[in-house]
Amino acid sequence: MSKKFFSLIFIVTAMYLISLISGTQDIYPLEDKKKAGGKPEERIIIAHTEIFGKLERPQVVFDHGKHSDALKKEGCETCHPANKEEGLIFEYPFKQVMKDKESMMNLYHEKCIDCHKKRIKEKKKAGPLTCGECHRKELESIKIKYPIFEFDFYYHRKHVKKLKNDCILCHHIYDEDDEELVYEEGTEQSCYYCHETRKKKGPLLEVEARVIDKKGLTIKKVSHLRCLNCHIDRNKRGLKAGPLVCSKCHTGKYKTVAELAKITRPDREQPEKTLINIEDARMKRVLFDHKSHEKKTKTCRGCHHETLNACKKCHGLSGSPDGKWVNLSSAYHDALSEKSCTGCHGIKKSEKGCTGCHHHLQEIDYQAIGEKKAICSLCHRGKKEALVGSPSISVYEIYTQKIHKKIKIKTLEREYEPAIFPHLKVIKKLVQISNGSKMATYFHRNLQTICEGCHHNRHLEAEAKKNTPPSCRNCHPISFDPQNINKPRLLAAYHRRCIGCHEKMELKPMECKDCHKEKAVRTAKGG
C-alpha cells in the first residue's frame, strides 16, 4: 500500500508540473521568440474557434509585422477590404464570404498561398506553401494578447490641438429616425458608453446598444476604424500622424492619476462647483467641488458610469427604470459601490496612510444590516460656500490639554512587564498624515476626530471631564462575552488596534517582545 501510495503521489505531482509548464507557455508566450518567430508584439493568432470549434490542425501564428514590411508598397489594402464611408476594415476576411468552415478555410488558402506563389514567380521572398509550415504543432498552445490602449486625457488633449477642435472627426450620436451618425455639439462623450458591447446598457442607450450589437461594432473594431484609418490617411497626405504599428499603441504602459492631474479636462461646460439640488428632497443641498474631483480620477466614467448626465437624470428619489431602480440615496451613499461618494471615499480610506485607523471603523453596521451614519451635516449644509475648515489640525491643542505622553498597559502583567504605548508620538504622526490630505482635512474637523481612530465610541458631549474618554477596559471586558460577538475582549481589542494598524500602514513588523518585556519571575495566578 505504501509503494502504491507514493507512486500515485509521484504521478499526480508530475502531471501537475507538466500542466504548470504548459500553462506558463500560455501565460508568457511572448518570451519564446525563437519558437514562434518574429517580434512578439507584431504577431497575431489565426484560429477562428468560434467557427471551426476544435481545430483539426494547430493554429497559425501570423507575423503581421513581416507582412506589412514586405507589402509596404502595395499598402494595407492588399489584405484589408476598403469601406467607402469608414476606410479600411482591419479584420479578415478581405472579402465577404459565408462564415462557415469551408468558406473561411478556402478564403485563407486562396489569399495566402496564391500570394506566396505569385511572389515566388516574381523571384521575391515569399512565405510557405505547405500545411505543416503554417500549422506548426509546437505553436498550438501559444496565446498572444495585446495590452489594451488607454486613450486618456493626455492623448485627448494632443488630438484636440492637432485637429484644431474638429470634434466631428471622432464624436457622434446615432439618429434613430434617419438611421445615421450625426455630430451634435455638447453631446461629446466616451466611445465606451455605446461601444463597450459586453457591458449591459441602461434604457437611455437601448437603441444604440441594439444597433451596435447587430453590427458588431465593438470598442476594438471602431477604435481601429476611426484611429488607424485617420493615421493612415494623414500619413498618405504627408501630415504628422499617429502610430501605424500595433506595438506603438499597445505598450502596456499607462499614466497614473497623479500624472493626469496636470492635464486640463475637456470642456463640456461642467461647473467648477455646483450645489446638488434634488426636487422634493428633504435633506439640505450638497456643495460638490467638481473640478477638484476631476483631478482624482483617470476617466469621467469613474462617476458617470452610464452617460455624462448628472446622477439625478437617471436616479430619482425613489428610483426609476433609467437608473435600474437604484435611488439617489444609494447612488450617493452605497458603501459597497465604487461609483458612489461613500463607496469611493471608502476606497480612499483603504490607502496606506488612512487604513491604520479606518480598517477597523466599519462602514456597515452588520447588526442592523445597514450603513453606519456619518455626520450628515458635513456635506448637507445647503450653502453655496464650501465647508472650509482649518487647513491643518494644530498640534498645539495637545499641549493645552491633559494628554498623557506615554501610557502603561498592564493587561498581561502576570507574564510581562507593562507595555509602554507612545501616546503623544502616535497622535502627532496621525495629525501629520491627516494634514497632508485634502480629503482628510475636509472630514477631520478637529483633533477629536483623530482621537476617534482609537477611541472609536467616545462622545465628547457625554464626558464628565473634557478630553477624558473612557479607557478601553471600560467597554471591553477581560473575558470574552459570547452574548456580544461583535465586541472583542480587552486583550484582543489592544492587539487588533495596535498590530492591525502596523500591518495596514506597512510599519515595521511587530513581535511580542517589541511591546512586552518578559518578567524575570512571573506572578502567580491570582497574585
Side-chain angles (χ1 to χ4, degrees), residues 75-295:
C76 303
E77 295 90 340
T78 308
C79 297
H80 296 290
N83 183 304
K84 291 181 179 180
E85 297 178 355
E86 298 168 329
L88 298 179
I89 300 175
F90 299 101
E91 59 182 16
Y92 217 73
F94 70 100
K95 66 180 182 181
Q96 190 65 37
V97 295
M98 295 292 291
K99 291 189 176 181
D100 59 81
K101 293 182 181 180
E102 187 174 357
S103 298
M104 288 295 287
M105 181 179 69
N106 292 338
L107 185 67
Y108 274 107
H109 291 166
E110 173 193 338
K111 186 65 176 176
C112 302
I113 297 175
D114 285 359
C115 181
H116 294 174
K117 287 179 178 178
K118 181 184 175 184
R119 290 181 67 85
I120 289 172
K121 287 181 180 179
E122 295 171 352
K123 296 183 179 180
K124 295 179 180 178
K125 191 174 182 181
L129 300 177
T130 62
C131 304
E133 290 176 286
C134 286
H135 298 277
R136 294 161 56 188
K137 180 72 176 176
E138 68 269 25
L139 302 181
E140 65 180 350
S141 63
I142 280 183
K143 293 182 180 179
I144 298 173
K145 185 176 181 180
Y146 289 90
I148 63 168
F149 171 70
E150 285 187 351
F151 190 78
D152 54 42
F153 292 120
Y154 169 77
Y155 288 110
H156 186 271
R157 187 177 68 174
K158 284 186 69 174
H159 281 71
V160 168
K161 288 182 178 180
K162 183 64 65 178
L163 301 175
K164 299 179 180 178
N165 293 311
D166 196 359
C167 305
I168 191 172
L169 294 173
C170 300
H171 293 284
H172 53 251
I173 59 174
Y174 181 68
D175 187 327
E176 185 181 5
D177 295 329
D178 295 332
E179 296 184 347
E180 63 178 3
L181 299 176
V182 296
Y183 172 70
E184 186 176 316
E185 189 175 358
T187 62
E188 304 89 353
Q189 56 186 6
S190 171
C191 309
Y192 279 91
Y193 286 130
C194 294
H195 292 284
E196 195 174 14
T197 54
R198 289 176 296 176
K199 180 183 175 185
K200 187 177 179 181
K201 310 294 182 187
L204 291 178
L205 296 175
E206 183 179 357
V207 174
E208 288 83 354
R210 185 172 65 249
V211 173
I212 285 168
D213 285 340
K214 184 179 179 181
K215 294 185 176 182
L217 297 173
T218 64
I219 189 67
K220 175 184 175 182
K221 184 174 180 178
V222 297
S223 296
H224 287 111
L225 281 173
R226 291 274 170 172
C227 305
L228 196 48
N229 271 309
C230 182
H231 294 177
I232 291 171
D233 178 63
R234 289 180 65 87
N235 188 60
K236 286 180 178 179
R237 290 188 286 138
L239 300 174
K240 189 175 181 180
L244 301 177
V245 181
C246 308
S247 58
K248 296 296 183 181
C249 285
H250 299 277
T251 61
K253 298 177 182 178
Y254 308 106
K255 290 181 177 60
T256 63
V257 173
E259 289 172 325
L260 293 173
K262 303 171 186 176
I263 309 298
T264 304
R265 298 300 190 258
D267 182 14
R268 278 287 306 274
E269 297 184 359
Q270 65 269 34
E272 290 191 5
K273 294 181 181 179
T274 183
L275 271 171
I276 299 176
N277 185 28
I278 312 300
E279 188 177 352
D280 296 329
R282 298 189 179 184
M283 294 292 285
K284 291 181 179 180
R285 296 178 296 176
V286 174
L287 180 66
F288 179 69
D289 190 337
H290 191 275
K291 186 176 181 179
S292 175
H293 282 74
E294 284 181 349
K295 306 293 185 180

Side-chain angles (χ1 to χ4, degrees), residues 19 38 40 156 182 255 261 285 324 339 349 394-395 400 425 481:
S19 67
H156 186 271
V182 296
K255 290 181 177 60
R285 296 178 296 176
K324 302 176 184 177
K339 304 294 184 186
K349 291 174 187 176
S394 175
V395 186
T400 63
K425 184 179 179 181
D481 181 4

Side-chain angles (χ1 to χ4, degrees), residues 450-464:
I450 300 294
C451 298
E452 287 173 0
C454 292
H455 301 282
H456 53 103
N457 279 328
R458 73 170 297 188
H459 297 282
L460 185 64
E461 65 278 5
E463 293 174 5

